[in-house]
Amino acid sequence: MEFSTNTSVSIHQVKTAALAVGIFTDGVLSPAADVIDRASSGAIRAVMKTEFTGAANSTLVLRNLDGVAALRVVLVGLGKQANYGARVHASAEKAFAAVCITARITEATSTLAAIACPGTTATDRARDAASSVSDAIYHYDATFGKPNPDARPKLKKISLLVARSDSAATELGLKQGAALGEGVSMARTLGNLPGNICTPTYLGETAKKLGREFRSIKVTVLDTKQIAALGMGSFLSVSKGSDQPPRFIVMHYKGKAPAKAAAKTAAKTQAGPVVLVGKGITFDSGGVSIKPAATMDEMKFDMCGAASVLGTFRALAELGLPGEVVGLIPTCENLINGSANKPGDVVRSMSGQTIEILNTDAEGRLILCDALTYAERFKPSAVIDIATLTGACVVALGGVNSGLFSKDDELAESILKAGKQAGDPAWRMPLDDDYQLQLKSNFADMANIGGQPAGAVTAACFLSRFAKAYRWAHLDIAGTAWKGGAIKGSTGRPVPMLLQFLLNQTA
Ligand code: BES
Ligand code: MN
Ligand code: ZN
């Protein structure tokens, strides 16, 4: 996807297959719509009296308007002007992209990014425009016998019409949005790939490929022997139940500090890298504590935390952000063979703490805890783990918010803020010490489950026991990483939140 800016002021003279203009429900035309309306002797105001109200997400296509060079003018509903904000803007760009996709348009022009929304900058709006358009044109066809070329969105180029004074800020936003779009799309495809293709080995190869593509990312992929040498007994206990060998992926991103901000960034670099840890269970059968069959296929999405780390690294490297970020991915399958974990088994984690496995389906925490211990060696400024960790989090928050757990208010606030800005929100959940009592075991330092009540919280409590050496936050993305039902598929969340968090760090 190619994005560009156009600072031409005579909108009605722009030659393009489709030109998007915004309409508010209060009968207010955006400045661009007003220009087109005048040029076409009132064509827009005429349809607003009858078939188009401007409701958010609605569209209407007008063709061959007299006095307008564009072949189509796409009226895009923006909702009530008073409610207009960055997110409404993003969904309007998506609605426009959807029109272009159905019409098989290859090049289109949008004026929507030029409409000022309260509390946003031209950069924000352009970033939103680019990332929501690339999200709209995402298409998965990796595993169809004969991919249908007609089903692939043809849209290749979008230019944004903006005021000359906004063009530099818009270019920056487009660059960020395009990089974010690529990161999200990578995360979505990794999530959507089936478990027999997207194995731990495949994720390791994907990381190595990223390292070859970008010199700013150094990648090391550890195998079973090397994982054992580190003493990761908890992680290995899960991987043993499968024929697929595990991998421990270490990615190290180092961005060049720009000359001006060098001093400021140097201070931050000394504070240590941000470490992102992603759960990489490429298929979760539950193990001996086996899951019900009905929607078990969706457990191929149990590596979406890992996918979000890989996608974020792609976007980071593409943007060449300053600073240092480490990505850690423990990845294996949770299956059932003669060596699989059994309820009652006790394993020793890399931290030395022992764990009684009362339920083999609570495997995510068993692989993450060793990665959290490994993270200590980077003396991180903050560690964020991202995991499709609990069904309980889906019950609590559904598909709207990811669950955020942290004892560090400042870190939590900055993650919540980034999520809001990126339209990829999280909701803070509790982490009181009192919940820790539920993890008591009679035979080990802790049990791997805490019973029915507050299942998402006790999972976070378990992880907190391995994250004492640094500032830490945990994101439970079980409800937000993918959608089920007829629109089954990965969302790429929380790549937008994570990239925004990192952008804010370096701003
Ligand atoms: N990967 C699942 C969590 C999950 C379940 C995500 C359903 C999305 C939808 C995780 O490994 C798991 O099985 N967790 C158990 C924990 C329980 C045994 C304490 C769960 O949530 O049921
Ligand atoms: Mn499980
Ligand atoms: Zn799982």
Side-chain angles (χ1 to χ4, degrees), residues 308-328:
S308 77
V309 174
L310 287 160
T312 301
F313 267 67
R314 162 170 283 284
L316 250 186
E318 204 132 312
L319 285 176
L321 285 192
E324 198 185 347
V325 186
V326 172
L328 301 178

Side-chain angles (χ1 to χ4, degrees), residues 406-431:
S406 181
K407 285 221 166 177
D408 189 308
D409 291 340
E410 197 195 315
L411 178 61
E413 283 306 322
S414 54
I415 294 171
L416 291 174
K417 182 183 152 206
K420 260 195 189 147
Q421 277 174 287
D424 179 9
W427 192 263
R428 192 157 176 198
M429 301 278 281
L431 200 57

Side-chain angles (χ1 to χ4, degrees), residues 39-117:
S40 62
S41 328
I44 297 184
R45 287 197 162 83
V47 294
M48 285 173 68
K49 290 208 183 85
T50 51
E51 56 264 72
F52 195 73
T53 63
N57 282 318
S58 66
T59 54
L60 181 72
V61 181
L62 304 176
R63 273 177 149 262
N64 303 321
L65 293 182
D66 277 339
V68 177
L71 182 60
R72 300 173 189 79
V73 172
V74 181
L75 306 185
V76 182
L78 300 175
K80 216 173 163 189
Q81 192 172 25
N83 299 343
Y84 194 54
R87 300 322 307 171
V88 180
H89 174 271
S91 53
E93 294 286 0
K94 245 185 196 169
F96 174 51
V99 169
C100 297
I101 291 163
T102 25
R104 310 228 180 137
I105 287 168
T106 54
E107 288 187 48
T109 309
S110 169
T111 66
L112 297 167
I115 303 168
C117 315

Side-chain angles (χ1 to χ4, degrees), residues 279 284 291 299 302 359 361 363 388-391 449 478 482:
K279 172 178 172 182
D284 181 10
K291 287 183 179 295
M299 283 299 120
D302 212 16
N359 189 315
D361 198 10
E363 85 298 338
T388 49
L389 203 63
T390 66
I449 55 168
W482 77 90

Side-chain angles (χ1 to χ4, degrees), residues 22-44:
I23 311 283
F24 294 101
T25 38
D26 350 41
V28 186
L29 276 68
S30 65
D34 192 50
V35 171
I36 297 293
D37 186 62
R38 283 164 204 277
S40 62
S41 328
I44 297 184

